[in-house]
Amino acid sequence: MLRPALAADAAAICAIYNPYILETYISFEETAVSHEQMAQRIQTVLDAGLPWLVYEQQGKLSAYAYATPWRTRPAYRHSVEVSVYAARESVAQGLGSALYQALFTQLQQLGIHSVIAGIALPNPASIALHEKMGMRQVARFSEVGQKFGQWHDVGYWEKLFTRS
């Protein structure tokens, strides 16, 4: 079941996200996020009028996706950055695609024109997902993040929604 996130989902979202922080370079955060911090992040996204979606399987959150403003200056108001994360046991089950499809539909309804995703590299699975969703690589920044004693590049993918 796909539905909007609630502040009450913060603990379950942390259970999905914190292993990415603590065990991988996929997130450049270095400290686990508390339930309170995650609840505030969810509220900030919702207060900005943007969607945060979760995928629930048999009563358990398995994945989530959300959009945040790309930049703060007014001219950027039609651009967002998107992220998607799945619990380790739920990877490669199509949840990311389902979440992004629903997220992109909602973003188009909100008048968003440009969707941007940053990917810590290498990350072939994330690249495949974003390209499956019609995103294309537009930039690569070399060695902009250091985690676990190694430098990592970050690539940016984008998708433009057509205006009718």
Side-chain angles (χ1 to χ4, degrees), residues 3 5-21 32-43 52 54-55 59-64 85-87 89:
R3 64 172 175 78
L6 307 168
D9 295 321
I13 290 171
C14 284
I16 294 169
Y17 183 54
N18 283 336
Y20 286 97
I21 295 172
V33 177
S34 72
H35 303 164
E36 295 79 17
Q37 290 170 314
M38 189 60 74
Q40 183 57 54
R41 291 179 186 192
I42 294 166
Q43 194 58 53
W52 187 311
V54 297
Y55 199 101
K60 182 182 178 194
L61 254 60
S62 300
Y64 67 93
Y85 287 91
E89 64 275 9

Side-chain angles (χ1 to χ4, degrees), residues 100-147:
Y100 263 174
Q101 186 171 8
L103 186 72
F104 288 6
T105 297
Q106 288 186 25
L107 292 171
Q108 284 182 285
Q109 292 168 350
L110 292 170
I112 297 301
H113 179 64
S114 176
V115 176
I116 302 159
I119 302 173
L121 302 173
N123 191 337
S126 187
I127 291 169
L129 169 63
H130 287 84
E131 291 182 353
K132 176 183 176 184
M133 300 309 301
M135 300 184 83
R136 64 182 182 88
Q137 187 174 5
V138 293
R140 182 181 184 123
F141 299 102
S142 299
E143 299 183 0
V144 294
Q146 187 183 61
K147 192 165 179 186

Side-chain angles (χ1 to χ4, degrees), residues 108 113 160-164:
Q108 284 182 285
H113 179 64
L160 300 177
F161 297 133
T162 56
R163 299 271 181 182
S164 46

Side-chain angles (χ1 to χ4, degrees), residues 13-99:
I13 290 171
C14 284
I16 294 169
Y17 183 54
N18 283 336
Y20 286 97
I21 295 172
L22 300 174
E23 301 166 13
T24 78
Y25 59 83
I26 289 171
S27 168
F28 281 178
E29 292 199 63
E30 296 179 319
T31 306
V33 177
S34 72
H35 303 164
E36 295 79 17
Q37 290 170 314
M38 189 60 74
Q40 183 57 54
R41 291 179 186 192
I42 294 166
Q43 194 58 53
T44 299
V45 167
L46 299 179
D47 287 349
L50 294 170
W52 187 311
L53 303 174
V54 297
Y55 199 101
E56 210 176 303
Q57 292 179 304
Q58 300 168 354
K60 182 182 178 194
L61 254 60
S62 300
Y64 67 93
Y66 63 96
T68 57
W70 170 241
R71 296 279 187 257
T72 58
R73 292 192 175 127
Y76 292 117
R77 69 187 169 276
H78 300 289
S79 298
V80 296
E81 185 168 5
V82 295
S83 294
V84 63
Y85 287 91
R88 296 278 177 88
E89 64 275 9
S90 300
V91 170
Q93 294 182 9
L95 305 184
S97 298
L99 281 162

